[in-house]
Amino acid sequence: MTAADTTGRIDREDARRALTAGVAPRRWGSWYVAEHRLLAMKGYVGEAVFQSFGNPLIYLFALGVGLASLVPQGVAGVSYLEFVAPALMATAAMTIAANETTYPVLMGFKWNPTFFGMNAAPLTGGQIVNGIMLAILARMIMTVTIYFGVILAFGAVPSAWGVLAIGSAVLTGMAIGLVLSSYTSTIKDDRGQMAMIQRFGIMPLFLFSGTFFPLEQLPVYLQPIGWISPLWHGAELGRVATYGLEESLWLTVTHVGYLSGIIVVGLWATRRHFVRRLNR
Amino acid sequence: MPESVISATALTKTYGGVAAVDSIDFEVAPGESFGLLGPNGAGKSTTMRMVGAVSTRTSGDLTILGLDPEHHGPDIRSQLGVVPQQDNLDMDLRVRDNLLVYGRYFGLPRALVAERADALLEFAQLADRAKSKVDDLSGGMKRRLTIARALINEPRILLLDEPTTGLDPQARHILWDRLFRLKEQGTTLVLTTHYMDEAEQLCDRLVVVDKGRIMAEGSPAQLIREHSSREVLEVRFGSDRNAHVAEQIVGLGERIEVLPDRLLIYSANGEADLVALTERGLHPITSLVRRSSLEDVFLRLTGRSLIE
């Protein structure tokens, strides 16, 4: 029973003060966490910006100029550079997601348990997850936008709708990030799981998601990797935006629905795991 | 009498059927300095996590500032300062930034947080380290920064879980001094410790806990008076002879405790008992007469030493 519950109203000054002070953190807690995480990212903002420019330049030169010379006829009716560029953008978003939702999550629980510090303040487990994801989202938007600018400069965006590829890449990155965080938030000890994620999760996705060649080029038994891969859905969605890849509307809707669905479920699971771990 | 800021009745927490905290009752008055004294694994930290409104109880009642933590966790936590057993400062941020981001968690305006951060860095004697990396601070400095961080919201209650464990004696004394100042300013302190000197220094009142249960409650002086003698005579005859000698001196003092390395003779006058001992032809290798401490209380209540 509480001072509030017994009478239905607050009959104690200190209880009333607590309820008043609790209003702002209840409402804005997620933003406070995002603010914190972005401040922490500021420590490596130089590297992040350099990577954002450097990565696309390297990939676009290697693939768009180098590899593309072997496929002068292009792919699926567009130049090889145009084909591969939106997929590379989605890959960049995936890389950020993988970096930010693996070690940093375990770090916050174990090696530098800042999540417990946040939760000892008025923030809830759910708000902590929201805040982390908002900060990742901000970083991802920055990187993907720069990537898009570079692609644009390479002349690989024929459609005026191309800018929407930023959205599809971000959707892809967040979906993959939330799948990963829903798992990494359950890890108690690092026994190499993170390296496994990189080798047997991220790498195969990168290679078998129709990134460098259309999924149909793969033997039928390998194509399901693409269908379940958020990266394939994101890359195809990006292609619809940047060069108007022809596919049926229901497939486009499926891409958006699939990625959004993963985001919703991943967020729900990650929040649940955080709350369970912080409040045991 | 003012209303309690913390009130626990039959408070219980079980993990997989095992009770970490087993039906304990206690109240903490505003401005009081209240301690939970007990060995590792006694249930102190679990109790602190429930009082800190982060761990839900299995059964019993608990109110903090008149509110139930199960329904009002964030509201209660807005009024608490928490110094956990393990430092959880953000190593990626600099010293002052740690205070700034933490202050924001309470929804405080940036300007106010900045003002308080500077005052708290002075209080924690860390003003000259404001721009340092947290990693570069010593253990004692990190602890002081954690305490400063816990004060950023001007808490009604400060919870300290083993605040000086792992610190060297000098760092402990600096920390005690800072905590004593807070106590003087009227902050309610709740602390857990397995150091009896810490409990004696800082606590107005304490409970002795063991295996999730409260064994005794009172002020340090009261506990010593009720559960121990005024003085203790410690004698060593060598580990192979202690038990044998104990049989020979039955009746000496009020009570005799045989430890592996020494005998403890509880008495009102230790010096007189030492004379009586030598008159019986028993000459210890070393002898010491001291005042009774909370360690003796704990030994009496549980049959075990605090630090094992």
Side-chain angles (χ1 to χ4, degrees), chain B residues 1 17 33-34 71 75 121 174 187 190-191 194 197 207 228 234 285 288 296 298:
Chain B
M1 194 184 144
S33 180
F34 179 80
H71 307 294
D75 310 296
L121 286 174
I174 297 175
T187 308
V190 179
L191 67 124
H194 58 254
D197 49 349
V207 287
S228 192
E234 289 195 10
I285 303 164
L288 165 76
D296 301 301
F298 191 79

Side-chain angles (χ1 to χ4, degrees), chain A residues 1-5 10-26 29 32-33 35-37 39-40 43-44 107 110-125 277-280, chain B residues 3-5 13 15 49 52-57 61-69 71-80 82 86-93 97-98 100-102 104-108 110 149 156:
Chain A
M1 284 193 293
T2 71
D5 298 339
I10 309 305
D11 59 1
R12 274 179 69 150
E13 176 53 33
D14 45 14
R16 205 172 313 151
R17 206 184 312 165
L19 292 173
T20 309
V23 172
R26 275 182 191 277
Y32 301 150
V33 177
E35 228 175 80
H36 177 164
R37 302 291 283 194
L39 187 68
Y44 54 93
M107 174 86 96
K110 200 174 162 70
W111 299 307
N112 182 196
T114 50
F115 299 154
F116 290 96
M118 294 174 180
N119 190 225
L123 308 179
T124 63
R277 196 157 174 184
L278 291 170
N279 305 131
R280 59 189 296 272
Chain B
E3 284 180 284
S4 306
V5 287
K13 177 81 185 185
Y15 290 109
R49 285 172 46 72
V54 289
S55 177
T56 45
R57 60 188 183 269
D61 278 327
L62 176 66
T63 63
I64 295 125
L65 301 168
L67 298 171
D68 185 337
H71 307 294
H72 296 284
D75 310 296
I76 291 168
R77 297 200 298 272
S78 76
Q79 304 297 300
L80 303 180
V82 180
Q86 187 187 2
D87 282 325
N88 54 31
L89 298 159
D90 191 330
M91 298 294 176
D92 287 336
L93 300 182
D97 287 340
N98 259 283
L100 297 183
V101 294
Y102 211 77
R104 292 287 291 152
Y105 291 169
F106 294 86
L108 302 171
R110 281 193 184 78
R149 191 184 69 170
R156 292 287 317 279

Side-chain angles (χ1 to χ4, degrees), chain B residues 3-267:
Chain B
E3 284 180 284
S4 306
V5 287
I6 302 170
S7 171
T9 313
L11 183 62
T12 302
K13 177 81 185 185
T14 59
Y15 290 109
V18 179
V21 174
D22 192 1
S23 190
I24 63 171
D25 303 280
F26 63 89
E27 304 253 332
V28 180
E32 191 180 21
S33 180
F34 179 80
L36 293 119
L37 177 74
N40 290 332
K44 304 185 304 274
S45 294
T46 308
T47 306
M48 285 295 250
R49 285 172 46 72
M50 286 192 279
V51 171
V54 289
S55 177
T56 45
R57 60 188 183 269
T58 308
S59 64
D61 278 327
L62 176 66
T63 63
I64 295 125
L65 301 168
L67 298 171
D68 185 337
E70 205 157 319
H71 307 294
H72 296 284
D75 310 296
I76 291 168
R77 297 200 298 272
S78 76
Q79 304 297 300
L80 303 180
V82 180
V83 179
Q85 203 168 22
Q86 187 187 2
D87 282 325
N88 54 31
L89 298 159
D90 191 330
M91 298 294 176
D92 287 336
L93 300 182
R94 294 182 186 270
V95 168
R96 188 168 179 270
D97 287 340
N98 259 283
L99 300 183
L100 297 183
V101 294
Y102 211 77
R104 292 287 291 152
Y105 291 169
F106 294 86
L108 302 171
R110 281 193 184 78
L112 178 66
V113 174
E115 197 180 295
R116 285 189 189 171
D118 293 330
L120 285 167
L121 286 174
E122 288 288 343
F123 172 79
Q125 296 169 302
L126 289 168
D128 56 335
R129 308 301 296 263
K131 290 202 166 71
S132 300
K133 285 184 176 167
V134 172
D135 233 3
D136 295 339
L137 301 183
S138 69
M141 287 174 174
K142 280 183 193 152
R143 250 9 225 157
R144 296 208 300 275
L145 181 59
T146 306
I147 292 177
R149 191 184 69 170
L151 295 171
I152 196 86
N153 58 325
E154 296 190 339
R156 292 287 317 279
I157 308 168
L158 185 61
L159 305 176
L160 303 125
D161 196 1
E162 307 274 357
T164 64
T165 298
L167 298 187
D168 61 53
Q170 196 197 356
R172 292 179 74 199
H173 281 282
I174 297 175
L175 210 68
W176 285 349
D177 168 62
R178 298 291 111 176
L179 294 175
F180 205 77
R181 283 173 201 228
L182 289 173
K183 187 163 131 53
E184 283 178 329
Q185 289 164 17
T187 308
T188 306
L189 301 182
V190 179
L191 67 124
T192 72
T193 182
H194 58 254
Y195 295 126
M196 54 186 175
D197 49 349
E198 186 158 272
E200 280 180 336
Q201 285 265 346
L202 295 173
C203 300
D204 301 326
R205 194 166 58 87
L206 51 95
V207 287
V208 178
V209 286
D210 187 39
K211 294 175 184 157
R213 291 187 148 269
I214 291 179
M215 311 298 288
E217 181 181 346
S219 69
Q222 198 181 353
L223 284 169
I224 291 168
R225 206 166 46 238
E226 284 172 14
H227 299 281
S228 192
S229 57
R230 200 167 68 87
E231 292 186 343
V232 186
L233 167 62
E234 289 195 10
V235 283
R236 291 168 200 264
F237 289 92
S239 51
D240 49 342
R241 281 193 66 208
N242 285 335
H244 178 64
V245 171
E247 288 167 15
Q248 293 178 264
I249 57 169
V250 174
L252 206 62
E254 296 164 17
R255 193 167 58 87
I256 297 170
E257 195 80 53
V258 186
L259 298 184
D261 62 333
R262 67 208 137 119
L263 292 176
L264 303 180
I265 300 155
Y266 290 92
S267 96

Side-chain angles (χ1 to χ4, degrees), chain A residues 28-42 118 123 127-139, chain B residues 101 104-105 110:
Chain A
W28 302 109
S30 305
W31 295 105
Y32 301 150
V33 177
E35 228 175 80
H36 177 164
R37 302 291 283 194
L38 287 170
L39 187 68
M41 284 178 190
K42 219 173 81 178
M118 294 174 180
L123 308 179
Q127 288 176 323
I128 297 170
V129 174
N130 291 348
I132 293 169
M133 293 305 157
L134 280 171
I136 295 175
L137 181 67
R139 187 178 163 200
Chain B
V101 294
R104 292 287 291 152
Y105 291 169
R110 281 193 184 78

Side-chain angles (χ1 to χ4, degrees), chain A residues 2-256:
Chain A
T2 71
D5 298 339
T6 49
T7 58
R9 64 189 167 80
I10 309 305
D11 59 1
R12 274 179 69 150
E13 176 53 33
D14 45 14
R16 205 172 313 151
R17 206 184 312 165
L19 292 173
T20 309
V23 172
R26 275 182 191 277
R27 194 171 296 163
W28 302 109
S30 305
W31 295 105
Y32 301 150
V33 177
E35 228 175 80
H36 177 164
R37 302 291 283 194
L38 287 170
L39 187 68
M41 284 178 190
K42 219 173 81 178
Y44 54 93
V45 72
E47 290 92 323
V49 171
F50 181 76
Q51 265 183 17
S52 303
F53 279 105
N55 264 341
L57 283 177
I58 292 169
Y59 271 114
L60 292 173
F61 267 117
L63 301 173
V65 182
L67 190 60
S69 63
L70 295 176
V71 253
Q73 74 281 17
V75 178
V78 291
S79 77
Y80 187 68
L81 182 62
E82 286 167 348
F83 173 79
V84 86
L88 289 177
M89 255 174 88
T91 305
M94 173 175 79
T95 306
I96 289 178
N99 287 343
E100 296 284 345
T101 57
T102 48
Y103 283 107
V105 170
L106 192 54
M107 174 86 96
F109 278 116
K110 200 174 162 70
W111 299 307
N112 182 196
T114 50
F115 299 154
F116 290 96
M118 294 174 180
N119 190 225
L123 308 179
T124 63
Q127 288 176 323
I128 297 170
V129 174
N130 291 348
I132 293 169
M133 293 305 157
L134 280 171
I136 295 175
L137 181 67
R139 187 178 163 200
M140 207 179 273
I141 290 174
M142 182 198 82
T143 301
V144 170
T145 305
I146 293 173
Y147 216 118
F148 181 75
V150 176
I151 290 172
L152 205 61
F154 269 75
V157 188
S159 166
W161 294 100
V163 70
L164 291 178
I166 293 176
S168 66
V170 168
L171 214 55
T172 311
M174 292 312 288
I176 291 170
L178 282 156
V179 168
L180 291 178
S181 65
S182 65
Y183 168 61
T184 53
S185 55
T186 63
I187 296 176
K188 296 277 190 309
D189 294 299
D190 179 22
R191 292 191 305 270
Q193 298 97 321
M194 307 296 176
M196 294 278 279
I197 288 174
Q198 202 60 42
R199 276 180 214 141
F200 300 106
I202 302 300
M203 265 321 259
L205 280 192
F206 184 44
L207 296 172
F208 296 103
S209 294
T211 318
F212 303 108
F213 45 83
L215 196 61
E216 302 79 56
Q217 299 288 316
L218 284 176
V220 176
Y221 58 87
L222 279 179
Q223 289 185 20
I225 298 181
W227 302 334
I228 58 163
S229 162
L231 184 57
W232 178 70
H233 290 275
E236 292 290 280
L237 208 51
R239 286 171 181 140
V240 172
T242 58
Y243 66 82
L245 166 74
E246 281 182 34
E247 63 174 19
S248 60
L249 182 63
W250 72 263
L251 197 53
T252 307
V253 172
T254 304
H255 297 321
V256 176

